[in-house]
Amino acid sequence: MPIPAIDSDYLLNFLTGLLNTPSPTGYAQPAIAFTQQALDAFPELELSLTRKGSLVAAWPGERSEAPRALTAHADTLGAMVKEIKPNGRLKLTRIGSFAWNTVEGEGCTVFTREGRAVRGSLLLVKASSHVHSKEVAELVRSDENMEVRLDARTTWEDETRDLGIEVGDFVAFDPRVEVTDGFVRSRHLDDKACVACLLASVKALHDAGLKPAQTTYLLISNYEEVGHGAAVGLPSDVTELLTVDMAAVGEGQASDEFHATLCVKDSNGPYHHGFSQRLRGLAEQHGIPYKVDIYPYYGSDGEAFWRAGGDAAVALIGPGVDASHNYERTHMDALVATTQWVAAYLLS
Ligand SMILES: [Zn+2]
């Protein structure tokens, strides 16, 4: 069966909206709700939330004897207020693994307990060249040396508390989404790009009046960046789990921003060989531009599922993302290829 047409405008519109919805791990419910609202347009899906807060869509297939699942995560890197400093600025603790220099100078939002969003930016404690000279370049980017400067009149602790800010408030860094000539540049393409690919594949089948070959569950997880997103949420009878997450692009890597990648091994070891081989076969059969790669410092929700005792074949595909866990970039070619691959799998 040929792959139905992919609506790339739909994909990009949904992706842009999702990228602009803050969702650091632990505070990902706005992105889960945004995705749920988009999936509401497809009445063939039955939506539910797990107690942990992830979104599950059950999609009846042509057959149901070997149910399948796909997962992508809506949570992202972010931070939490660790301390309110005597000078009124905020010391943060990181959520997920990233280096402080990747968000240095970035705008951010602090979400208070009362639901207020206070704007600010993340800076080095010795930020001004005119005051600190060489130290601006030389100071180590550590938890101690980074702080949030709030866009509010506060010069001491109590004034910051008066804004409603407290230890434990979530902090989201601005995604700075920009689309140029097919390139999508933004933070948190990991893994919102793949949530968008899953939705675009649902729309492609829906518009063509098609069902998946087998009953299929989509799990939009909300704790991936801390390692246990897809550990729960899927029925125990799923036979396969296709994890859809970004491919690592860079020196020595086979992946690029114009292909979808099949990851055969990452930090946690190899994926399921038979399932991976079948996915390669599908890509070749449908002329989907793809690469095969190994990611040196990477773990996925597929492995979280395995470690939690999940008994299914697990494989990983996704679009190439340059400068991951930094100011990321991909291209529509990789997003469309990933969506086609997902659609080909759903129909196979
Ligand atoms: Zn990811």
Side-chain angles (χ1 to χ4, degrees), residues 73 190-191 224-225 245-246 298 325:
H73 65 94
D190 173 11
D191 186 30
E224 193 275 349
E225 291 293 358
D245 207 336
M246 51 136 283
Y298 191 107
H325 283 200

PDB file of all heavy atoms in Angstrom, residues 73 190-191 224-225 245-246 298 325, ligand 1:
ATOM      1  N   HIS A  73       7.897  12.014  23.309  1.00  0.00           N
ATOM      2  CA  HIS A  73       7.701  12.726  24.575  1.00  0.00           C
ATOM      3  C   HIS A  73       7.474  14.227  24.389  1.00  0.00           C
ATOM      4  O   HIS A  73       8.083  14.853  23.532  1.00  0.00           O
ATOM      5  CB  HIS A  73       8.846  12.451  25.559  1.00  0.00           C
ATOM      6  CG  HIS A  73      10.203  12.940  25.167  1.00  0.00           C
ATOM      7  ND1 HIS A  73      10.690  14.152  25.564  1.00  0.00           N
ATOM      8  CD2 HIS A  73      11.202  12.364  24.433  1.00  0.00           C
ATOM      9  CE1 HIS A  73      11.925  14.302  25.102  1.00  0.00           C
ATOM     10  NE2 HIS A  73      12.264  13.241  24.411  1.00  0.00           N
ATOM     11  N   ASP A 190      13.634  18.228  20.363  1.00  0.00           N
ATOM     12  CA  ASP A 190      13.653  17.004  21.174  1.00  0.00           C
ATOM     13  C   ASP A 190      12.626  17.181  22.276  1.00  0.00           C
ATOM     14  O   ASP A 190      12.877  17.889  23.237  1.00  0.00           O
ATOM     15  CB  ASP A 190      15.070  16.805  21.733  1.00  0.00           C
ATOM     16  CG  ASP A 190      15.167  15.656  22.724  1.00  0.00           C
ATOM     17  OD1 ASP A 190      14.217  14.886  22.827  1.00  0.00           O
ATOM     18  OD2 ASP A 190      16.214  15.561  23.397  1.00  0.00           O
ATOM     19  N   ASP A 191      11.463  16.596  22.235  1.00  0.00           N
ATOM     20  CA  ASP A 191      11.079  15.638  21.217  1.00  0.00           C
ATOM     21  C   ASP A 191       9.782  16.083  20.564  1.00  0.00           C
ATOM     22  O   ASP A 191       9.028  15.293  20.037  1.00  0.00           O
ATOM     23  CB  ASP A 191      10.945  14.249  21.875  1.00  0.00           C
ATOM     24  CG  ASP A 191      10.697  13.137  20.872  1.00  0.00           C
ATOM     25  OD1 ASP A 191      11.159  13.258  19.728  1.00  0.00           O
ATOM     26  OD2 ASP A 191      10.006  12.171  21.212  1.00  0.00           O
ATOM     27  N   GLU A 224      10.232  11.830  30.021  1.00  0.00           N
ATOM     28  CA  GLU A 224      11.333  11.179  29.306  1.00  0.00           C
ATOM     29  C   GLU A 224      12.692  11.756  29.662  1.00  0.00           C
ATOM     30  O   GLU A 224      13.673  11.028  29.804  1.00  0.00           O
ATOM     31  CB  GLU A 224      11.119  11.291  27.785  1.00  0.00           C
ATOM     32  CG  GLU A 224      12.029  10.380  26.957  1.00  0.00           C
ATOM     33  CD  GLU A 224      13.414  10.948  26.640  1.00  0.00           C
ATOM     34  OE1 GLU A 224      13.652  12.167  26.886  1.00  0.00           O
ATOM     35  OE2 GLU A 224      14.263  10.200  26.159  1.00  0.00           O
ATOM     36  N   GLU A 225      12.763  13.074  29.798  1.00  0.00           N
ATOM     37  CA  GLU A 225      14.077  13.713  29.984  1.00  0.00           C
ATOM     38  C   GLU A 225      14.736  13.334  31.312  1.00  0.00           C
ATOM     39  O   GLU A 225      15.908  13.613  31.519  1.00  0.00           O
ATOM     40  CB  GLU A 225      13.976  15.240  29.846  1.00  0.00           C
ATOM     41  CG  GLU A 225      13.681  15.727  28.418  1.00  0.00           C
ATOM     42  CD  GLU A 225      14.808  15.469  27.411  1.00  0.00           C
ATOM     43  OE1 GLU A 225      15.867  14.949  27.801  1.00  0.00           O
ATOM     44  OE2 GLU A 225      14.610  15.791  26.223  1.00  0.00           O
ATOM     45  N   ASP A 245      12.018   9.507  18.369  1.00  0.00           N
ATOM     46  CA  ASP A 245      12.770  10.550  19.073  1.00  0.00           C
ATOM     47  C   ASP A 245      13.905  11.027  18.167  1.00  0.00           C
ATOM     48  O   ASP A 245      14.295  10.340  17.225  1.00  0.00           O
ATOM     49  CB  ASP A 245      13.300  10.016  20.419  1.00  0.00           C
ATOM     50  CG  ASP A 245      13.497  11.119  21.456  1.00  0.00           C
ATOM     51  OD1 ASP A 245      13.666  12.296  21.066  1.00  0.00           O
ATOM     52  OD2 ASP A 245      13.483  10.801  22.655  1.00  0.00           O
ATOM     53  N   MET A 246      14.426  12.191  18.470  1.00  0.00           N
ATOM     54  CA  MET A 246      15.405  12.849  17.595  1.00  0.00           C
ATOM     55  C   MET A 246      16.671  12.023  17.380  1.00  0.00           C
ATOM     56  O   MET A 246      17.105  11.275  18.244  1.00  0.00           O
ATOM     57  CB  MET A 246      15.782  14.205  18.171  1.00  0.00           C
ATOM     58  CG  MET A 246      16.200  14.142  19.624  1.00  0.00           C
ATOM     59  SD  MET A 246      17.663  15.098  20.042  1.00  0.00           S
ATOM     60  CE  MET A 246      19.006  14.118  19.438  1.00  0.00           C
ATOM     61  N   TYR A 298      23.140   8.802  24.814  1.00  0.00           N
ATOM     62  CA  TYR A 298      21.711   8.893  24.497  1.00  0.00           C
ATOM     63  C   TYR A 298      20.978   7.726  25.134  1.00  0.00           C
ATOM     64  O   TYR A 298      21.476   6.605  25.157  1.00  0.00           O
ATOM     65  CB  TYR A 298      21.582   8.811  22.965  1.00  0.00           C
ATOM     66  CG  TYR A 298      20.241   9.130  22.345  1.00  0.00           C
ATOM     67  CD1 TYR A 298      20.048  10.322  21.656  1.00  0.00           C
ATOM     68  CD2 TYR A 298      19.183   8.225  22.397  1.00  0.00           C
ATOM     69  CE1 TYR A 298      18.837  10.614  21.047  1.00  0.00           C
ATOM     70  CE2 TYR A 298      17.962   8.515  21.787  1.00  0.00           C
ATOM     71  CZ  TYR A 298      17.802   9.709  21.110  1.00  0.00           C
ATOM     72  OH  TYR A 298      16.595   9.998  20.492  1.00  0.00           O
ATOM     73  N   HIS A 325      19.936  19.233  22.612  1.00  0.00           N
ATOM     74  CA  HIS A 325      20.005  19.764  23.984  1.00  0.00           C
ATOM     75  C   HIS A 325      20.782  21.085  24.010  1.00  0.00           C
ATOM     76  O   HIS A 325      21.467  21.400  24.989  1.00  0.00           O
ATOM     77  CB  HIS A 325      20.597  18.735  24.972  1.00  0.00           C
ATOM     78  CG  HIS A 325      19.609  17.664  25.362  1.00  0.00           C
ATOM     79  ND1 HIS A 325      19.735  16.892  26.490  1.00  0.00           N
ATOM     80  CD2 HIS A 325      18.459  17.269  24.776  1.00  0.00           C
ATOM     81  CE1 HIS A 325      18.712  16.060  26.571  1.00  0.00           C
ATOM     82  NE2 HIS A 325      17.925  16.251  25.538  1.00  0.00           N
TER      83      HIS A 325
HETATM   84 ZN    ZN B   1      14.147  13.115  23.396  1.00  0.00          ZN
END
